[in-house]
Amino acid sequence: MTAVDADRTVWRFPRPTAAPRGDTAAPTATLDGPIAGRRIGLRHEGSWRSWLLIVDDWVGRLRAHGAEPVVLQAGGRVGIDGVRTHHDITVWADEVEAGISGLGTCGSCTSNSVRDAVTLEALGKPAVVAVCGEFLQHARNMARYLGHADLKILELPYPLEARPADELREIAEAYYPRFVDLLGGRR
Amino acid sequence: MTGSAGSGGFVEVAADPVALYELSLAEGWGDGAPLLPPTEDRLEALLGATPHDRGSVLGDVPPRFGTATVELVAVNAAMAGVEPRAFGHVLAAMQAVLEPDWNAFGLTTTTSSVCPMLIVNGPSRDVLGIDYRAGCLGGAGGRGSMTIGRAVSLCLRNIGGQRAGETSRTVFGQPARFGLCFGEWEERSPWPSLASRRGFLPSQDVVMVHGGKGTYPLADVNNDDPRDLTYAIAKSLAFPLNNWYLELTGDSGQLVLLVNPMWARRLGEAFPRVEDFQQALWDDAWQPAQLFRPLNRAVLDEKGRIDAGGRVRLASRPDQFVPVVCGGLGGLHGVALTTFVQSEMQSVAVPPS
C-alpha cells in the first residue's frame, strides 16, 4: 500500500490517524405530553454533592407534578463494580420512561454521563445529559462518537461544586423547567 | 475481523526529516518531538515481525473510537522508532489498553493526568533495551523503553484521537503521556515476577498496562527495620488527596509500588512471600478519620469510607498494592505509581516471533 519514490525525494505513507466514529446520529425521542404519571429517571455517580442536591430538589418537584422519580446511583466502571453498574443502568433504563444523567463536570464523569444517557436514548426513550458549561463541548463530542450526536444536553453553570446550598437550590429551581422541556414534558 | 489502515489516505512529504517534523506538527499527528518516517521498508519490517495480518483489527480506540488495525499501529510504531523485534510488545500493550476493564473510555477523556504505564517482564528485556535498572523511569534511554511507550501514546493520539484540551480534558497531563515503559528487575526480586504472579511463565515476554496517575516519590534513611520501612511506605501511600479517597469504595484499581533492589533485599528477608508484604502494606495504608477536617470527614463518612475503627482505608484488598522491583542500586528511593482507581491493570503476553 505504501510507496517511496524511486529517487527518494518524497516519503509517502498511510496517514497515521483513524477516522472517528460519529457519521450517524441516532434519533431522539420526546415525552410529548405531561410528566404526570411518568417514571422519570435521575442518574448520579454519588460524587458531586452539587448534583446530588439538585437531584434531590428535582425529585421533590417531579413528585409535586405527579411524576414518579427513579433515582440511580451509578457506581464504578471496572471489575465487579463495573458489572454491577452496567446491570443497574440496564435495569434503570428499562424501568424509566425518560431520564437525565449527570453530572458532567469532569472528563470521565462527562463521558460516563453521556454514555448512560445514550443507553437510555438507544431504547427510544427521551434522554438528557446534565453538563456544566466547561464540559459542554466534550459532552457533544462524546455523544457524537457514541453515535448520538443529537443527544439533548442541559447546560448548567460552571463550577457548581463548592457553591452554598442556597445558591444550588436556586439553580435547581431555575433549571428545572428547562430539564422538563428538554424531555418534551409538560408540567 | 479486518479493516484497512490509512483510512485518511496517504501522507506525502519531502524526504527530509525537518519537513516531516514540521508536517506532523501542522497536521496534528505528531507529539511535539521529531518522528521517523514510516517508509515502506520500515513498515514491511514491522508487519513481517508479527503473525497478525496487517488488516487485523485490535479494536476501536477511545475517545473517538478510531479503528486500530495492525497496519495503523505499525505506522505509528514506525514513527516512534520501534524495532521490528519490539513490535509485538506494542501490539500487546494496545491489546491491554483496549481491554474493557482498563477503561480507556474513561482514562483518555478524564481531567486526571492518568496514562498507560507499561511494565515489561520476560527474557527480551535486555535485547530490546527495556530499562529496569538505574533511571528506568526516565533518563536511562533504552530504545525499547523509549520507543514502545511512545508508540502506544501515538496510537492513543492518532487512532483514538486523544488530544489534550480537546477530546481529553486532562488538567495537567504528565511527562509519562509521551510514553512510559520500563521493566522489572526480576533477577533482583525476592519475589516471583509481576507476570508470574499474574499467571504467566518466566519464559514469556509479557506487557502489563497500569493506569497510573503519576510518579509519587518516596525516600527513606530513617528506618533500619524493614517492617518499619513498610509501615512508613504504607502511611505515605495513604496521603489524604489520593484518588482512592474520592471514590465510594476502594474496591477497584491498583497502586504499583516500585521497590529498589536494596530495599527489595531487606523487605524480602522480612516478607519472604510477596503476599505478606502486600498484607503489611494494606494493614497500615489508612489514615485516622480525625486527620481530615470536619467537612472532608463528613463526606468520607457519607461515602461509607470510615470503618468501625475510625480508619479511612485506602484500598479494599492487599492485592491492590503491587510491588515491582526495579531501579538502581543506590537504594534510598521508591516510587508509587498511583491509581486512577477506575482502571484494572491488564496483562498480555507477546507472541513468540
Side-chain angles (χ1 to χ4, degrees):
Chain A
M1 292 181 64
T2 60
V4 182
D5 284 5
D7 59 2
R8 296 257 179 185
T9 57
V10 172
W11 285 324
R12 183 171 188 268
F13 52 85
R15 187 165 292 281
T17 54
R21 262 194 217 159
D23 291 340
T24 59
T28 61
T30 61
L31 282 172
D32 203 20
I35 59 173
R38 315 298 287 268
R39 290 187 302 281
I40 308 296
L42 302 105
R43 173 268 195 213
H44 67 82
E45 291 179 335
S47 298
W48 305 109
R49 292 181 301 289
S50 58
W51 180 236
L52 288 171
L53 188 149
I54 291 170
V55 165
D56 188 55
D57 181 279
W58 288 358
V59 163
R61 292 179 192 278
L62 287 167
R63 284 202 177 112
H65 288 117
E68 180 186 344
V70 181
V71 177
L72 170 72
Q73 177 173 296
R77 314 304 298 210
V78 300
I80 295 170
D81 270 355
V83 172
R84 187 166 44 236
T85 297
H86 178 73
H87 171 264
D88 291 348
I89 289 166
T90 303
V91 170
W92 174 78
D94 280 341
E95 184 181 358
V96 303
E97 295 169 79
I100 188 165
S101 173
L103 174 70
T105 191
C106 75
S108 58
C109 65
T110 300
S111 303
N112 288 331
S113 295
V114 169
R115 181 159 63 179
D116 293 345
V118 161
T119 297
L120 197 55
E121 189 164 271
L123 295 174
K125 299 180 179 185
V128 175
V129 61
V131 177
C132 290
E134 174 64 19
F135 295 89
L136 183 62
Q137 187 57 50
H138 182 59
R140 287 184 178 136
N141 289 342
M142 297 313 294
R144 180 157 59 94
Y145 303 145
L146 290 170
H148 288 251
D150 296 331
L151 179 69
K152 297 184 185 75
I153 300 176
L154 176 66
E155 181 183 352
L156 294 171
Y158 177 78
L160 272 183
E161 285 298 284
R163 292 189 191 226
D166 287 348
E167 193 177 330
L168 288 169
R169 287 191 192 95
E170 289 173 10
I171 290 171
E173 180 178 11
Y175 282 82
Y176 175 75
R178 175 72 177 144
F179 157 49
V180 175
D181 287 349
L182 283 170
L183 290 179
R186 290 197 298 275
R187 287 167 280 149
Chain B
M1 192 176 177
T2 60
S4 60
S7 52
F10 287 81
V11 174
E12 287 191 6
V13 60
D16 166 26
V18 175
L20 175 70
Y21 179 40
E22 295 290 351
L23 187 65
S24 75
L25 298 175
E27 295 193 346
W29 40 264
D31 54 13
L35 301 155
L36 292 178
T39 52
E40 182 177 21
D41 52 344
R42 296 185 63 242
L43 269 183
E44 292 305 321
L46 288 176
L47 292 168
T50 173
H52 298 291
D53 183 81
R54 67 196 308 149
S56 293
V57 172
L58 301 182
D60 292 341
V61 185
R64 300 202 314 176
F65 298 104
T67 299
T69 62
V70 168
E71 184 176 26
L72 198 44
V73 173
V75 173
N76 285 280
M79 293 198 306
V82 171
E83 286 185 291
R85 60 188 175 182
F87 186 47
H89 283 67
V90 176
L91 291 173
M94 284 304 297
Q95 286 178 272
V97 161
L98 292 172
E99 285 293 327
D101 270 356
W102 194 76
N103 190 18
F105 181 77
L107 270 65
T108 56
T109 58
T110 176
T111 46
S112 168
S113 53
V114 64
C115 68
M117 295 181 169
L118 280 49
I119 307 167
V120 177
N121 278 122
S124 296
R125 284 164 298 147
D126 283 314
V127 72
L128 296 181
I130 305 289
D131 298 317
Y132 57 85
R133 290 181 269 205
C136 61
L137 293 186
R143 179 171 181 171
S145 282
M146 298 306 294
T147 59
I148 294 169
R150 188 186 185 194
V152 171
S153 293
L154 281 170
C155 286
L156 291 180
R157 178 180 187 84
N158 288 332
I159 304 176
Q162 184 189 29
R163 305 285 172 87
E166 298 175 25
T167 52
S168 162
R169 294 312 315 265
T170 187
V171 174
F172 290 107
Q174 63 166 297
R177 285 202 170 196
F178 184 77
L180 179 62
C181 174
F182 64 98
E184 182 171 22
W185 197 342
E186 302 166 18
E187 298 78 5
R188 295 298 295 253
S189 175
W191 308 302
S193 74
L194 177 59
S196 295
R197 302 193 314 256
R198 297 175 71 85
F200 297 92
L201 299 170
S203 59
Q204 288 181 289
D205 287 309
V206 182
V207 179
M208 269 69 57
V209 180
H210 169 55
K213 283 201 63 173
T215 54
Y216 180 79
L218 308 165
D220 180 69
V221 293
N222 298 332
N223 291 283
D224 290 337
D225 185 325
R227 292 181 184 276
D228 291 345
L229 173 59
T230 302
Y231 171 86
I233 292 171
K235 287 303 180 199
S236 301
L237 301 182
F239 58 90
L241 296 186
N242 190 302
N243 224 82
W244 251 320
Y245 286 141
L246 307 185
E247 301 286 330
L248 297 172
T249 74
D251 292 350
S252 302
Q254 293 82 31
L255 181 148
V256 175
L257 177 65
L258 304 186
V259 178
N260 73 67
M262 308 311 290
W263 281 10
R265 188 174 64 192
R266 293 165 56 201
L267 293 167
E269 290 169 359
F271 304 102
R273 290 176 359 110
V274 70
E275 293 85 357
D276 294 334
F277 179 50
Q278 292 172 299
Q279 180 70 50
L281 289 170
W282 183 83
D283 285 345
D284 288 313
W286 55 270
Q287 297 294 352
Q290 294 304 317
L291 178 86
F292 298 89
R293 301 299 289 268
L295 293 176
N296 188 344
R297 190 161 66 238
V299 171
L300 291 166
D301 195 27
E302 286 170 15
K303 290 181 175 178
R305 295 302 307 269
I306 303 176
D307 72 13
R311 292 178 289 258
V312 189
R313 288 203 177 277
L314 198 58
S316 299
R317 303 179 313 278
D319 65 84
Q320 292 172 282
F321 297 93
V322 181
V324 172
V325 176
C326 57
L329 297 175
L332 278 77
H333 304 281
V335 176
L337 305 179
T338 55
T339 179
F340 179 69
V341 183
Q342 292 300 322
S343 177
E344 300 287 347
M345 180 186 288
Q346 302 298 317
S347 319
V348 174
V350 180
S353 54

